[in-house]
Amino acid sequence: MDLGDCYRVLGLRSGASFVDIKTSYRRLAQQYHPDINPGDKKAQDKFIALTEAYKLLLTVVPPEEMAQRSTQPQEKAPQSTKTKRPEPVVTVTQEKPMPKPPPKPTPKPPNLVEIEQRLKWKTYEQLQRFLKERRFPQAIALAEALAERLPEDAEVRQWQAIAYQIWGRALIKEKQLLKARIYLKKALKTDPNNKSLSQEVERDFQKLEQVF
């Protein structure tokens, strides 16, 4: 995502100020927050994109307006003196700190890792509901979407494999044997190092052979 995309995601024109960026992000993040839009994948994706754009812009656009405000009282200070003689002394004492301002605080956007973890566990709760309600196609779609979002997460990969295995077992009971075999193989391929899952899938394959 380049800077132009970041501004567009936040609904801003290129070159928008620090205050405009911050204000727009807060408004849109509240609108698309996963807690407000449970189960809405488009809203979740929009929220992630907003956070990524905001995080990138904060590394490029410094809070200049804040710095300018901090200098205004210093520039007006000499006007409070009535005589011209003290002015050199006043300006020296006030301008000395200016060449050495305190380190610019690093903006702290929302912790992206924390956001993704919250999204992960919200999705897990919904996945459990789908499986309990035997809404297997929805459960598979949800597990695959989460695996695409977090491809390196071992727990997510395990959830995906278990969803495949549970649906494969249900398909055996429904006599959809070829389809059951496909999803049982997917379960093994998705999480090949899970011994417990492998044992369950092996039992399912045995049932499958008995039906054949």
Side-chain angles (χ1 to χ4, degrees), residues 5-142:
D5 291 334
C6 291
Y7 283 113
R8 283 193 292 273
V9 168
L10 291 171
L12 299 170
R13 294 182 179 179
S14 296
S17 68
F18 172 82
V19 173
D20 290 339
I21 292 170
K22 188 174 182 180
T23 301
S24 181
Y25 172 74
R26 286 181 175 176
R27 176 176 58 82
L28 293 172
Q30 184 176 10
Q31 179 181 350
Y32 292 102
H33 197 282
D35 291 346
I36 299 176
N37 303 275
D40 188 339
K41 187 176 184 300
K42 290 184 179 179
Q44 293 172 356
D45 290 343
K46 179 70 173 177
F47 183 78
I48 295 298
L50 286 170
T51 301
E52 292 175 352
Y54 178 67
K55 184 177 180 182
L56 178 58
L57 286 177
L58 288 186
T59 64
V60 177
V61 180
E64 294 177 354
E65 294 181 11
M66 300 301 291
Q68 290 174 1
R69 291 174 188 171
S70 66
T71 61
Q72 287 176 359
Q74 297 172 349
E75 294 173 357
K76 293 180 180 180
Q79 296 177 3
S80 63
T81 60
K82 296 181 179 180
T83 62
K84 296 182 180 180
R85 291 181 181 179
E87 289 180 1
V89 177
V90 174
T91 54
V92 170
T93 56
Q94 290 186 343
E95 290 180 0
K96 277 185 178 180
M98 293 179 65
K100 298 180 180 180
K104 187 184 298 182
T106 303
K108 294 183 178 180
N111 190 322
L112 191 58
V113 174
E114 181 181 349
I115 291 172
E116 293 215 337
Q117 285 299 310
R118 287 166 58 186
L119 174 62
K120 168 185 169 181
W121 289 104
K122 284 282 185 182
T123 305
Y124 173 74
E125 292 174 1
Q126 190 171 358
L127 176 63
Q128 291 291 83
R129 287 197 297 271
F130 283 158
L131 291 174
K132 185 177 181 180
E133 296 168 3
R134 300 182 63 81
R135 297 166 62 184
F136 299 119
Q138 292 91 334
I140 294 298
L142 188 64

